[in-house]
C-alpha cells in the first residue's frame, strides 16, 4: 500500500511539473507574440485539431493513454482552471480568455477529457451512462463552443420598414467596420413596440432630484390612478397616447396641508413634442418619465440565394433560425421609440450550433443523473 | 385573485409544510406528514393558479413573481428529494428557505410593480434562477455538514461523508442545470452561449471548485485537506450570488440587479 501511494504521489508531482512547464511556455508565447488570435482556429484548423484529438480513441489501453486520462491530472487541471478563472474574475480589464496560458490549459483539458472517455469506452457498461453523458456532453460542447466558435461571425443589419436589406456590418472579432454583402436578406414588413405606462413623480427643478429625496417614488400614469408623494395627493384624470405625439396625462394635485389645488397636463416629450411639467411651487413640479419598452418585435420575411424563404416575427429572446444563421432583434430607432421606422438586427452565423445543442442535451441528462444518483459509486 | 390574498395562502402552506416536517420526525409512519405536505403544495398551487387567472397572464414577469415560484419549487423539490433519499432534514430545510422567500415577498411588495425589461421576458428566466437557488440551498447544507465532519474526523469518524457527497452531487446537478439553461437562454437572447460575463466567470469558478472536490474524492485525496474545500467553494458561491455586484472587475455585467 505504501509503495502504491508513493507512486501516486510521484505521478501527481510529475503532472504538476508538466502543467507548470506548459504554463511557462504559454507565458513565454504571450510575452513574445502577444495575445492568442482566435481566428487562427478558424476552419480547417479547428477540424484538424478535433481529428487529432479523436486519434486518442485509437490508442491502445496502457501506459500512455492512462497517463493522459489520469484522475489526478483532472484534479490539477480543474484547480488550474479555477485559478485562471479567479484571475479573470478579480483583476479588472484582464485578457485571460485570449491569453496563451489559458488556451493551452483549455487544450490540456480537452486531451485529458478525450483520453478518459477513450479509456472508459473500451470497457463500456450500462453503469457508465451517467459518466458518458456528463463527460462526452462536455467534450462536444467544449469543442463546438471553443475551437468551433472561431468560425462564428456576427453582423449588424439596419432595415427600414417596407424595404429589403442584405448588407451587414461585421462586429466582434472579425475585422473592420466595412459593410459586406451577406448570403441572407431580410425584408422588414413592420416594426412594432409596446411600452409600459410612463411614470409620474415630483422633481426638484433646481437639482433634478426626485422626491422624497434619497427614496424617490414614481407611480404609473394610468387613468384613475391616485397616490401620495410626500404631502401631495396626485390623481390621474386622463391620459393621451397617440402615434407621433408624446404620452401625456392630465393630473390633479392637492397639497394635503393647505388644501391648495393644482391641475394640468404633464408629458415626458418625445422627438416630436416638447416635454411639459406642472409647477407646484418655485422649486417642485410634477414630471413624467420616458416610457420603458415592454416588448418590441419585427415582422419579417427572410430569403437566401438558394431560394429559401421564411416568414415570421423576431423579438427579444425569440430569434429566427435560417440554416446556420440566427437573426436577433437587436435595437431600433431609440429616438423615436414606438414610432421607429427601422429595426436593427444582429445576424449570427454559427455552423457549430447543432453539435453545441447535442452537447447541451447530453449534459442536461447528465445533470439529472447527478441528482438522481447522488454520490453513490 | 391578487397579491392581496397572498398572505393567507402563504401562511396556510407554510403551516402545513412545517407541520408535515415536524410529523416526519415525531411519527413513525410518514403518511400524515406526506398528506400535510401535499396539502400545503395544493394550497400554494391554488394561489398561483388564481393569480394567473386574475392577472390574465402567467405570473412570471416580476422579481416578486419569480420569488413566488422559488417558494413553491423549493418545497416541492425538498419533498421529492425526501421521498427519494429519506433525508427528513431536507424537507425541513426546504420549508425554511421557502419561508424566507415568502416573507421577502410579504415585506417588500413594492417590487411587484417593477417593469420587466424585454431581455428578461423569457420562459428560461424562472427555471434558470430557481434551480440555481435550489443548488445554493443544497450546497449550503453540504457546507454545514462539512464543518461537523471536519470536527468528527479528528476522532477518526467519517459518518457524514456519504451525506456530504450526496449533497454535493445533487447540488452540482442543479448548478449544472442552471448553467446550461442560462447558456441556452443566452443563445436565444443574444447569440452566444457563454460570453465570460462577470457573473458567468464566477459561476464557472464555483462549478469548477465543486468539480475539484468531486474528482479529488474519486481518487481518495486526504479528507483532512479535502473537506476544507467545501467551505472555500461555498465562499466562492456566495461571491457569485451576492458579491459579484461589488467587484471592480464586474462593472458592466449584464447580471447586475
Amino acid at each position: 500500500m505504501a509503495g502504491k501511494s508513493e507512486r501516486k504521489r510521484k505521478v501527481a508531482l510529475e503532472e504538476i511539473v508538466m502543467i507548470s512547464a506548459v504554463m511557462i511556455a504559454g507565458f513565454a508565447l504571450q510575452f513574445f507574440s502577444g495575445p492568442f488570435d482566435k481566428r487562427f482556429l478558424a476552419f480547417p484548423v479547428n477540424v484538424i485539431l478535433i481529428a487529432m484529438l479523436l486519434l486518442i480513441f485509437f490508442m491502445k489501453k496502457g501506459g500512455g493513454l492512462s497517463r493522459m486520462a489520469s484522475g489526478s491530472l483532472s484534479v490539477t487541471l480543474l484547480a488550474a482552471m479555477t485559478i485562471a478563472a479567479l484571475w479573470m474574475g478579480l483583476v479588472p480589464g484582464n485578457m485571460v480568455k485570449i491569453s496563451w496560458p489559458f488556451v493551452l490549459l483549455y487544450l490540456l483539458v480537452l486531451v485529458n477529457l478525450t483520453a478518459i472517455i477513450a479509456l472508459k469506452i473500451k470497457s463500456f457498461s450500462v453503469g457508465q451512462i451517467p459518466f458518458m453523458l456528463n463527460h462526452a456532453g462536455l467534450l462536444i460542447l467544449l469543442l463546438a463552443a471553443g475551437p468551433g466558435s472561431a468560425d462564428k461571425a456576427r453582423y449588424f443589419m439596419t432595415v427600414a420598414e417596407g424595404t429589403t436589406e442584405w448588407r451587414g456590418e461585421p462586429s466582434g472579432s472579425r475585422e473592420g467596420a466595412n459593410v459586406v454583402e451577406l448570403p441572407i436578406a431580410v425584408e422588414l414588413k413592420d416594426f412594432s413596440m409596446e411600452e409600459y405606462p410612463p411614470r409620474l413623480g415630483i422633481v426638484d427643478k433646481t437639482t433634478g432630484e426626485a422626491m422624497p429625496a434619497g427614496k424617490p417614488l414614481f407611480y404609473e400614469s394610468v387613468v384613475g390612478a391616485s397616490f401620495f408623494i410626500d404631502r401631495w395627493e396626485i390623481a390621474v384624470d386622463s391620459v393621451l397616447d397617440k402615434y407621433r405625439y408624446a404620452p401625456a396625462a392630465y393630473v390633479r394635485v392637492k397639497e394635503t396641508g393647505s388644501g391648495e389645488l393644482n391641475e394640468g397636463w404633464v408629458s415626458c416629450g418625445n422627438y416630436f413634442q416638447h416635454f411639459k411639467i406642472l409647477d407646484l411651487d418655485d422649486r417642485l413640479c410634477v414630471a413624467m418619465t420616458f416610457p420603458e419598452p415592454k416588448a418590441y418585435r419585427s415582422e419579417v420575411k427572410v430569403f437566401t440565394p438558394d431560394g429559401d424563404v421564411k416568414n415570421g416575427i423576431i423579438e427579444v429572446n425569440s430569434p429566427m433560425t435560417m440554416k446556420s444563421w440566427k437573426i436577433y432583434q437587436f435595437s431600433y430607432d431609440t429616438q423615436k421609440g414606438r414610432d421607429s421606422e427601422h429595426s436593427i438586427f444582429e445576424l449570427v452565423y454559427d455552423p457549430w450550433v447543432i453539435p453545441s445543442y447535442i452537447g447541451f442535451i447530453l449534459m442536461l441528462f447528465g445533470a439529472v443523473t447527478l441528482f438522481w444518483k447522488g454520490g453513490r459509486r | 385573485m391578487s397579491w392581496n390574498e397572498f398572505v393567507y395562502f402563504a401562511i396556510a402552506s407554510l403551516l402545513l409544510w412545517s407541520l408535515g416536517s415536524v410529523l416526519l420526525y415525531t411519527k413513525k409512519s410518514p403518511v400524515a406528514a406526506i398528506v400535510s405536505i401535499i396539502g400545503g403544495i395544493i394550497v400554494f398551487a391554488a394561489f398561483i393558479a388564481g393569480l394567473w387567472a386574475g392577472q390574465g397572464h402567467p405570473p412570471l414577469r416580476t422579481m416578486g413573481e419569480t420569488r413566488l415560484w422559488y417558494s413553491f419549487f423549493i418545497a416541492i423539490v425538498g419533498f421529492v428529494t425526501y421521498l427519494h433519499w429519506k433525508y427528513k432534514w431536507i424537507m425541513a430545510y426546504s420549508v425554511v428557505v421557502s419561508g424566507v422567500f415568502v416573507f421577502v415577498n410579504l415585506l417588500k411588495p413594492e417590487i411587484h410593480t417593477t417593469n420587466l425589461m424585454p431581455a428578461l421576458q423569457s420562459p428560461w428566466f424562472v427555471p434558470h434562477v430557481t434551480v440555481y437557488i435550489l443548488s445554493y440551498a443544497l450546497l449550503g447544507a453540504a457546507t454545514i455538514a462539512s464543518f461537523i465532519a471536519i470536527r468528527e474526523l479528528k476522532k477518526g469518524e467519517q459518518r457524514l461523508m456519504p451525506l456530504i457527497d450526496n449533497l454535493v452531487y445533487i447540488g452540482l446537478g442543479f448548478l449544472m442545470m442552471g448553467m446550461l439553461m442560462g447558456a441556452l437562454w443566452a443563445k436565444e437572447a443574444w447569440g452566444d452561449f457563454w460570453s465570460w460575463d462577470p457573473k458567468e466567470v464566477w459561476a464557472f469558478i464555483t462549478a469548477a471548485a465543486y468539480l475539484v472536490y468531486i474528482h479529488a474524492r474519486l481518487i481518495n485525496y486526504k479528507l483532512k485537506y479535502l473537506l476544507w474545500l467545501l467551505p472555500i467553494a461555498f465562499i466562492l458561491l456566495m461571491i457569485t450570488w451576492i458579491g459579484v455586484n461589488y467587484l471592480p472587475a464586474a462593472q458592466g455585467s449584464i447580471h447586475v440587479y
Side-chain angles (χ1 to χ4, degrees), chain A residues 11-12 24-25 69 99 105 108-109 111 168 212 223 233 235 240 270 281 300 310 319 326 331 344 372 376:
Chain A
V11 168
I24 290 166
S99 72
L105 193 58
L108 288 178
V109 169
V111 170
V223 177
E233 184 185 1
L240 274 181
N270 68 357
D281 57 32
V300 296
K310 203 166 175 180
K326 270 182 188 281
S331 188
I344 305 173
W372 197 247
R376 280 176 296 181

Side-chain angles (χ1 to χ4, degrees), chain A residues 152 154 196 294 317 328 375, chain B residues 116 119 166 185 187 190 192:
Chain A
K152 209 162 150 179
R154 316 174 71 108
Y196 288 108
K294 187 175 181 180
N317 272 316
Y328 296 86
Chain B
L116 199 58
N166 275 340
W185 178 10
K187 182 71 182 171
W190 44 75
D192 276 319

Side-chain angles (χ1 to χ4, degrees), chain B:
Chain B
M1 207 177 288
S2 73
W3 279 104
N4 295 333
E5 287 86 46
F6 178 58
V7 60
Y8 309 112
F9 284 85
I11 299 293
S13 293
L14 284 176
L15 284 177
L16 283 167
W17 289 336
S18 309
L19 175 70
S21 311
V22 172
L23 288 174
L24 280 181
Y25 281 99
T26 53
K27 291 267 189 245
K28 240 193 180 136
S29 153
V31 177
I34 288 173
V35 170
S36 176
I37 292 164
I38 292 176
I41 290 171
I42 292 171
V43 171
F44 211 100
F47 175 74
I48 293 179
L51 189 65
W52 191 323
Q55 291 184 336
H57 63 77
L60 291 171
R61 291 195 182 169
T62 67
M63 283 307 278
E65 285 166 349
T66 63
R67 282 199 291 264
L68 177 72
W69 288 91
Y70 299 150
S71 320
F72 186 53
F73 283 155
I74 284 172
I76 290 182
V77 174
F79 181 52
V80 172
T81 312
Y82 157 74
L83 289 178
H84 184 65
W85 292 102
K86 300 285 175 257
Y87 293 145
K88 293 169 190 168
W89 60 272
I90 195 115
M91 186 65 227
Y93 192 80
S94 304
V95 174
V96 172
V97 176
S98 176
V100 167
F101 282 105
V102 164
F103 281 103
V104 172
N105 261 1
L106 287 171
L107 298 174
K108 293 196 70 128
E110 82 271 25
I111 288 171
H112 297 151
T113 58
T114 299
N115 291 342
L116 199 58
M117 56 201 267
L120 287 182
Q121 295 167 17
S122 162
W124 291 111
F125 184 24
V126 168
H128 168 64
V129 182
T130 315
V131 295
Y132 260 123
I133 296 298
L134 188 66
S135 118
Y136 294 172
L138 288 159
L139 295 170
T143 311
I144 294 165
S146 76
F147 283 122
I148 304 170
I150 288 168
R151 222 181 46 200
E152 288 185 350
L153 200 62
K154 286 174 191 146
K155 290 178 250 157
E157 249 189 81
Q158 297 191 8
R159 174 177 74 96
L160 283 176
M161 287 323 290
L163 168 68
I164 291 175
D165 287 348
N166 275 340
L167 284 171
V168 172
Y169 272 79
I170 301 168
L172 185 77
F174 282 111
L175 197 71
M176 294 308 293
M177 291 208 102
M179 219 175 198
L180 294 166
M181 288 195 278
L184 290 168
W185 178 10
K187 182 71 182 171
E188 288 307 284
W190 44 75
D192 276 319
F193 290 115
W194 192 268
S195 45
W196 295 108
D197 176 85
K199 193 99 171 182
E200 291 170 7
V201 170
W202 282 92
F204 175 86
I205 293 168
T206 308
Y210 283 106
L211 284 173
V212 170
Y213 172 84
I214 281 181
H215 287 82
R217 275 291 284 157
L218 288 172
I219 52 174
N220 293 319
Y221 267 38
K222 278 212 175 79
L223 282 177
K224 194 167 63 165
Y225 308 113
L226 191 51
L227 274 172
W228 283 103
L229 194 54
L230 291 174
I232 293 170
F234 195 70
I235 291 170
L236 299 173
L237 185 154
M238 294 307 282
I239 295 174
T240 308
W241 189 8
I242 296 160
V244 164
N245 295 5
Y246 307 101
L247 288 174
Q251 298 315 311
S253 164
I254 54 159
H255 285 94
V256 169
Y257 34 75

Side-chain angles (χ1 to χ4, degrees), chain A residues 312-375:
Chain A
I313 288 168
I314 297 174
E315 57 185 320
V316 179
N317 272 316
S318 173
M320 182 187 271
T321 308
M322 185 78 149
K323 297 198 167 158
S324 290
W325 290 86
K326 270 182 188 281
I327 307 168
Y328 296 86
Q329 178 71 57
F330 183 71
S331 188
Y332 52 90
D333 183 343
T334 47
Q335 289 275 304
K336 290 192 173 179
R338 58 171 185 188
D339 296 340
S340 173
E341 282 154 5
H342 68 246
S343 185
I344 305 173
F345 299 105
E346 185 169 18
L347 286 84
V348 178
Y349 171 73
D350 184 2
W352 294 79
V353 74
I354 301 284
S356 306
Y357 281 121
I358 293 172
F360 272 109
I361 291 166
L362 294 180
M363 283 189 79
L364 277 171
F365 281 109
V368 174
T369 65
L370 276 183
F371 55 74
W372 197 247
K373 216 174 129 254

Side-chain angles (χ1 to χ4, degrees), chain A residues 64-139:
Chain A
L65 186 58
S66 321
R67 285 302 283 272
M68 279 199 270
S70 119
S72 52
L73 181 60
S74 310
V75 173
T76 317
L77 285 173
L78 279 165
M81 270 287 181
T82 314
I83 292 164
L86 276 170
W87 190 307
M88 223 187 272
L90 288 172
V91 182
N94 68 78
M95 307 279 262
V96 172
K97 63 182 174 185
I98 51 164
S99 72
W100 277 100
F102 184 73
V103 170
L104 294 178
L105 193 58
Y106 196 101
L107 185 68
L108 288 178
V109 169
L110 289 176
V111 170
N112 180 234
L113 196 53
T114 311
I116 185 77
I117 294 168
L119 191 67
K120 291 246 177 171
I121 218 162
K122 288 182 201 302
S123 53
F124 185 76
S125 68
V126 179
Q128 280 173 17
I129 288 176
F131 168 88
M132 281 296 167
L133 288 171
N134 281 314
H135 290 81
L138 180 63
L139 177 63

Side-chain angles (χ1 to χ4, degrees), chain A residues 235-250:
Chain A
V236 180
D237 233 39
S238 61
V239 296
L240 274 181
D241 191 16
K242 285 194 294 191
Y243 175 66
R244 266 171 81 93
Y245 293 90
Y250 193 83

Side-chain angles (χ1 to χ4, degrees), chain A residues 8-44:
Chain A
K8 259 169 69 180
R9 197 169 304 154
K10 209 178 131 223
V11 168
L13 203 64
E14 280 174 22
E15 285 165 356
I16 291 169
V17 170
M18 186 274 291
I19 293 173
S20 309
V22 173
M23 288 300 98
I24 290 166
F27 281 111
L29 270 168
Q30 181 79 13
F31 184 75
F32 290 113
S33 69
F36 180 77
D37 185 352
K38 205 175 188 182
R39 279 171 299 174
F40 165 74
L41 284 171
F43 182 84

